[in-house]
Amino acid sequence: MLAATVRVAGDLDLAEECVQDAYVSALNAWTSGGIPANPGAWLVTTARHNALDALRRAQVFRTKMPLLAEDDVDEVSFTGGSVVRDDTLRLVFMCCHPALSTDARIALTLRLVCGVATPDIARAFLVPEATMAARITRAKKKIVAASISFRVPEANELPDRLDAVLTVIHLLFTTGHTAPSGDTLTRGDLAERAVDLGRMLHGLMPGEREVRGLLALLLLNHARRATRTDGEGRLLLLEDQDRSKWDRAAIAEGHRLVVAALRGGSPGRFSLQAAIAAVHATAPSYDGTDWTEILVLYDELLNVWPSPVVALNRTVAVAMVHGPGAALREVEKLERDKMLTGYRYTAAIKADFLRRLGRLDEAAAAYRHAMELADNEAERAFLAMRIKESAAG
């Protein structure tokens, strides 16, 4: 609906308002007259009419006349002659406009297209919520000021937007795989939507190695979805998960994609992350995991993508190869990075290394700090259990 309406409105805020008004109209009309045969078409048509009415009221109708040359709205799909055949994926490409900064286009797309809440986007970027809200607002204003056209990019324009699109889909999956907030560990709807978008993108650009790498990464991680919590919703660590319940078909598909993504030159960040996930997914057990290979892959990933979060995740492999003492020293260095201040997993990982070293009082304090930063109830329950265990020795 938003993808269709913004093409008429030419303005994101106006399009959002018109879509919301269409939902209100549906509640009123459908309650008395029943649900129409094609509810999606009804909603889209109403939203677009709302946009046209608003433009008329603003006395800019004449300047928008060329937009009315499009075909009449009969269905929800607006693929037309575009190379992008899915409405949601089209809107992702539309919002990832190269005129915006990378962070701005990713944040704007996550908020408008994927429906991710601003606080959750802020957590993904490791910035305060107010900073992220201002960033999204500035992106919207720049779209208006620069008269950025909301049209589906041509095939030759897709590569310039691809990295941002890959990042949007990856962050959408991450938000669903481990929800930043809420009562449950995961949000299956977001994770499934990301996997679907990854498949569509692979169908659109099958020759792109990083597209293969992203889809592989999503499939390999999503294959563990049934075992990441117990029957009561409690978080289960990787070492405690029942590997016999993992989705072997998804793992096999992901592994094939990883092999294809790693061929022919230096791999990118998504292909390397997928390779790490593949080592985990194909290991016979947690203890039987090739941690040395994972550490080598993390070293290469840091070269390609020097992110403090990657460096933090790497310490888990360091602990398995060189021991928790060496890993703790790495974490203590990373704590000086301002980007990781307030990142809940920094404290949680540090606490785990302290626990394994037998420094239980310090571990309990670090677990308490991680719990203060966590908003996901499943994670908070796990951290509370660790605090209790550490206090009990």
Side-chain angles (χ1 to χ4, degrees), residues 301-319:
L301 179 59
L302 264 180
N303 288 330
V304 173
W305 188 27
S307 158
V309 174
V310 172
L312 180 65
N313 292 338
R314 176 183 172 275
T315 64
V316 176
V318 171

Side-chain angles (χ1 to χ4, degrees), residues 217-231:
L217 176 62
L218 304 190
L219 290 171
L220 290 164
N221 283 325
H222 202 47
R224 298 189 290 109
R225 61 190 178 279
T227 64
R228 297 184 61 235
T229 56
D230 64 14

Side-chain angles (χ1 to χ4, degrees), residues 49-267:
H49 285 167
N50 289 345
L52 291 174
D53 289 342
L55 292 173
R56 289 189 185 98
R57 287 195 299 272
Q59 296 182 337
V60 294
F61 180 69
R62 290 181 181 276
T63 66
K64 303 294 181 179
M65 281 296 290
L67 294 169
L68 301 182
E70 298 176 356
D71 293 337
D72 290 338
V73 181
D74 293 319
E75 300 178 3
V76 181
S77 178
F78 294 91
T79 52
S82 169
V83 293
V84 187
R85 308 300 295 179
D86 175 77
D87 281 337
T88 303
L89 187 58
R90 290 174 70 202
L91 190 53
V92 170
F93 270 104
M94 287 165 67
C95 283
C96 287
H97 198 287
L100 301 173
S101 70
T102 300
D103 285 355
R105 58 180 112 157
I106 292 168
L108 185 68
T109 309
L110 284 170
R111 182 70 196 95
L112 292 181
V113 184
C114 304
V116 179
T118 301
D120 292 344
I121 300 173
R123 291 186 185 95
F125 280 86
L126 305 182
V127 298
E129 180 183 346
T131 300
M132 181 51 62
R135 190 175 295 175
I136 293 172
T137 299
R138 284 197 301 270
K140 288 182 178 181
K141 289 180 178 178
K142 182 170 182 178
I143 288 170
V144 175
S147 299
I148 293 174
S149 173
F150 272 90
R151 61 173 179 80
V152 181
E154 302 294 334
N156 64 330
E157 297 175 300
L158 298 184
D160 289 339
R161 307 188 184 204
L162 180 58
D163 187 69
V165 171
L166 290 168
T167 304
V168 165
I169 297 174
H170 180 233
L171 289 177
L172 177 63
F173 178 82
T174 302
T175 303
H177 187 66
T178 303
S181 59
D183 295 330
T184 59
L185 180 66
T186 63
R187 281 197 58 186
D189 58 329
L190 296 183
E192 292 285 353
R193 191 185 310 168
V195 172
D196 288 344
L197 287 171
R199 285 196 181 283
M200 292 173 199
L201 185 60
H202 183 249
L204 175 67
M205 309 175 78
E208 291 285 343
R209 293 169 62 201
E210 281 293 83
V211 173
R212 293 186 204 131
L214 175 69
L215 180 56
L217 176 62
L218 304 190
L219 290 171
L220 290 164
N221 283 325
H222 202 47
R224 298 189 290 109
R225 61 190 178 279
T227 64
R228 297 184 61 235
T229 56
D230 64 14
E232 297 180 6
R234 290 188 293 254
L235 184 154
L236 294 176
L237 298 179
L238 184 61
E239 59 195 280
D240 300 321
Q241 294 174 17
D242 184 352
R243 294 174 181 241
S244 68
K245 295 181 180 179
W246 288 1
D247 186 341
R248 291 295 158 186
I251 291 173
E253 183 183 359
H255 190 268
R256 288 193 298 270
L257 287 164
V258 169
V259 172
L262 294 178
R263 288 196 190 112
S266 300

